[in-house]
CSV table of all heavy atoms in Angstrom, one decimal:
chain,number,residue,atom,x,y,z
A,166,ALA,N,-44.2,52.2,-138.8
A,166,ALA,CA,-43.2,52.0,-137.8
A,166,ALA,C,-43.7,52.5,-136.5
A,166,ALA,O,-43.0,53.0,-135.6
A,166,ALA,CB,-41.8,52.7,-138.1
A,167,GLY,N,-45.1,52.4,-136.3
A,167,GLY,CA,-45.6,52.9,-135.1
A,167,GLY,C,-45.8,54.4,-135.0
A,167,GLY,O,-46.2,54.9,-133.8
A,168,MET,N,-45.8,55.1,-136.0
A,168,MET,CA,-45.9,56.5,-136.0
A,168,MET,C,-47.1,56.9,-136.9
A,168,MET,O,-46.9,56.5,-138.2
A,168,MET,CB,-44.6,57.3,-136.5
A,168,MET,CG,-43.5,57.1,-135.6
A,168,MET,SD,-42.1,58.1,-136.3
A,168,MET,CE,-40.8,57.0,-135.9
A,169,ALA,N,-48.0,57.7,-136.3
A,169,ALA,CA,-49.2,58.2,-137.3
A,169,ALA,C,-48.6,59.2,-138.1
A,169,ALA,O,-48.2,60.2,-137.5
A,169,ALA,CB,-50.3,58.5,-136.4
A,170,LEU,N,-48.7,59.2,-139.3
A,170,LEU,CA,-48.0,60.1,-140.2
A,170,LEU,C,-48.4,61.5,-140.2
A,170,LEU,O,-47.7,62.4,-140.1
A,170,LEU,CB,-48.0,59.7,-141.7
A,170,LEU,CG,-47.3,58.2,-141.9
A,170,LEU,CD1,-47.4,57.9,-143.3
A,170,LEU,CD2,-45.9,58.4,-141.5
A,171,ILE,N,-49.8,61.7,-140.2
A,171,ILE,CA,-50.3,63.1,-140.4
A,171,ILE,C,-50.1,63.9,-139.0
A,171,ILE,O,-49.5,65.0,-139.1
A,171,ILE,CB,-51.9,63.0,-140.8
A,171,ILE,CG1,-51.9,62.5,-142.2
A,171,ILE,CG2,-52.4,64.4,-140.6
A,171,ILE,CD1,-53.4,62.1,-142.6
A,172,PRO,N,-50.5,63.3,-137.8
A,172,PRO,CA,-50.1,64.0,-136.6
A,172,PRO,C,-48.7,64.2,-136.5
A,172,PRO,O,-48.1,65.4,-135.9
A,172,PRO,CB,-50.7,63.2,-135.6
A,172,PRO,CG,-51.8,62.3,-136.1
A,172,PRO,CD,-51.2,62.1,-137.6
A,173,SER,N,-47.8,63.3,-136.9
A,173,SER,CA,-46.3,63.4,-136.6
A,173,SER,C,-45.8,64.4,-137.6
A,173,SER,O,-45.0,65.3,-137.1
A,173,SER,CB,-45.8,61.9,-137.2
A,173,SER,OG,-46.1,61.0,-136.3
A,174,ILE,N,-46.3,64.7,-138.9
A,174,ILE,CA,-45.8,65.8,-139.7
A,174,ILE,C,-46.2,67.0,-139.1
A,174,ILE,O,-45.4,67.9,-139.1
A,174,ILE,CB,-46.3,65.4,-141.1
A,174,ILE,CG1,-45.6,64.3,-141.7
A,174,ILE,CG2,-46.2,66.8,-142.0
A,174,ILE,CD1,-46.3,63.9,-143.1
A,175,ALA,N,-47.5,67.2,-138.5
A,175,ALA,CA,-47.9,68.3,-138.0
A,175,ALA,C,-47.0,68.7,-136.8
A,175,ALA,O,-46.7,69.8,-136.6
A,175,ALA,CB,-49.4,68.2,-137.6
A,176,GLY,N,-46.8,67.7,-135.9
A,176,GLY,CA,-45.9,68.0,-134.7
A,176,GLY,C,-44.5,68.3,-135.1
A,176,GLY,O,-43.8,69.2,-134.5
A,177,ALA,N,-43.9,67.8,-136.2
A,177,ALA,CA,-42.7,68.2,-136.7
A,177,ALA,C,-42.6,69.5,-137.3
A,177,ALA,O,-41.5,70.3,-137.0
A,177,ALA,CB,-42.2,67.1,-137.8
A,178,VAL,N,-43.7,69.9,-137.8
A,178,VAL,CA,-43.7,71.3,-138.4
A,178,VAL,C,-43.7,72.3,-137.2
A,178,VAL,O,-43.0,73.4,-137.2
A,178,VAL,CB,-45.0,71.6,-139.2
A,178,VAL,CG1,-45.2,73.1,-139.4
A,178,VAL,CG2,-44.8,70.8,-140.5
Side-chain angles (χ1 to χ4, degrees):
M168 295 181 220
L170 295 179
I171 297 170
S173 296
I174 291 170
V178 167

